[in-house]
Amino acid sequence: MNLAHSGYNHQAPVVAGEEITSDEEGRFNLNALHKASGEGSTKRPSIWLATKSAQELILELSQNSGLGQNVIKSVKGGINPGTFAHELIAVSYAGWISPAFQLQVNQTFIDYRTGKLQVSAMPSWYSRLSPETRMVIEDMDRQLAEKERQLQLVQPKVDFAEQVSIAPDAITVGEAAKLCGTGRTRLFAFLRQLKWLTRHNEPYQAIIESGYMDVKISQFEHPTQGLKNSITPLVTGKGLLKLQTKLKEGRLNG
């Protein structure tokens, strides 16, 4: 099995039985931490990342030139999707979930760095599989790797947004509506009145460049037109703060 391709870090720390995977630059998967916590959707990473304290922490770490990397990165799709963050951000996110969980995560990370943590070269469930099942998984893994390679070759560029990566704190309009205490349809209408969205519910280029909104591009097979793009508008943490202010003021102009 191609563990590198499958997103399994052969030295991943384990919290509450859940492997906390990391990317090639050592950032930890916040979605895996959320799963390990056992908490519901109200404790998702995207909600915490939209808070002022999280934004300030990310900004402070980003300004530390000694890190030599982006402190947070979002991976959409593929084998190992999720929001990957610097260890300090991961521990802070765990503390937002609960103080007890923060202590558990922090101690696990300390043991991981000092070599005290016993890790497995394979996911625990993999060793319990029969040889026949392992062969099937390895074959599926190879097929998926090839499909990803082909998809990367044909992935079209987004004409109206220069940036390719999605902001790590971006959430859907529906999620933003819940946080703002309003309905999804009303918020869409309000965004159009603010001139953040076109009548087709696509963010204007100026709004994307301002950092208020982002987009998620996905593809689907149209019965007659072939491969087409589907555009999902997203509200960033910065945009959410601005939007909450405008909703309170009842302003309808950008």
Side-chain angles (χ1 to χ4, degrees):
M1 185 177 185
N2 186 349
L3 293 179
H5 175 265
S6 300
Y8 291 109
N9 185 330
H10 69 285
Q11 293 183 333
V14 177
V15 177
E18 182 69 27
E19 290 186 338
I20 311 303
T21 56
S22 58
D23 63 11
E24 65 277 6
E25 295 188 35
R27 292 170 292 224
F28 292 100
N29 192 333
L30 298 187
N31 300 87
L33 283 174
H34 175 232
K35 185 176 180 181
S37 73
E39 295 291 339
S41 60
T42 58
K43 294 293 185 177
R44 296 194 312 274
S46 60
I47 296 178
W48 177 70
L49 288 168
T51 64
K52 181 180 179 181
S53 59
Q55 290 292 305
E56 290 175 344
L57 176 60
I58 293 171
L59 178 62
E60 184 67 25
L61 283 175
S62 297
Q63 292 175 342
N64 184 349
S65 59
L67 291 176
Q69 65 174 48
N70 293 327
V71 299
I72 193 162
K73 180 179 180 181
S74 182
V75 178
K76 301 293 182 179
I79 299 297
N80 193 28
T83 299
F84 293 84
H86 185 276
E87 180 178 342
L88 293 176
I89 295 177
V91 172
S92 295
Y93 167 61
W96 177 75
I97 292 178
S98 76
F101 188 60
Q102 180 180 22
L103 293 176
Q104 181 183 5
V105 170
N106 192 45
Q107 186 60 56
T108 299
F109 283 178
I110 291 174
D111 293 342
Y112 171 66
R113 288 197 311 272
T114 58
K116 296 179 181 179
L117 191 66
Q118 295 296 321
V119 296
S120 172
M122 288 285 188
S124 57
W125 54 263
Y126 188 74
S127 62
R128 297 193 295 269
L129 300 177
S130 67
E132 293 78 10
T133 303
R134 293 185 192 182
M135 290 180 62
V136 172
I137 292 177
E138 290 171 2
D139 184 58
M140 292 174 61
D141 186 64
R142 286 190 293 270
Q143 292 181 31
L144 189 54
E146 177 60 22
K147 287 182 179 179
E148 284 189 349
R149 187 189 68 80
Q150 294 177 1
L151 183 59
Q152 290 174 357
L153 293 176
V154 300
Q155 182 69 35
K157 295 181 179 180
V158 183
D159 294 331
F160 58 87
E162 294 181 358
Q163 59 201 54
V164 176
S165 59
I166 298 175
D169 59 356
I171 58 177
T172 66
V173 175
E175 291 171 326
K178 292 180 181 179
L179 293 176
C180 291
T182 187
R184 178 177 179 274
T185 301
R186 179 170 178 260
L187 185 56
F188 264 112
F190 190 58
L191 289 171
R192 290 192 295 270
Q193 292 170 344
L194 287 174
K195 302 301 181 184
W196 285 23
L197 292 179
T198 69
R199 62 188 181 90
H200 299 296
N201 289 333
E202 297 177 0
Y204 285 101
Q205 178 65 34
I207 297 301
I208 294 176
E209 292 176 351
S210 71
Y212 292 153
M213 296 196 74
D214 207 335
V215 292
K216 177 183 178 181
I217 309 297
S218 56
Q219 294 184 322
F220 66 95
E221 189 71 28
H222 192 277
T224 59
Q225 302 178 25
L227 197 63
K228 295 184 66 65
N229 285 336
S230 174
I231 300 172
T232 301
L234 302 173
V235 181
T236 66
K238 178 182 177 181
L240 183 62
L241 293 175
K242 184 75 171 179
L243 191 57
Q244 288 173 329
T245 300
K246 287 186 175 292
L247 282 168
K248 289 179 182 179
E249 296 174 352
R251 295 172 56 186
L252 300 181
N253 294 313

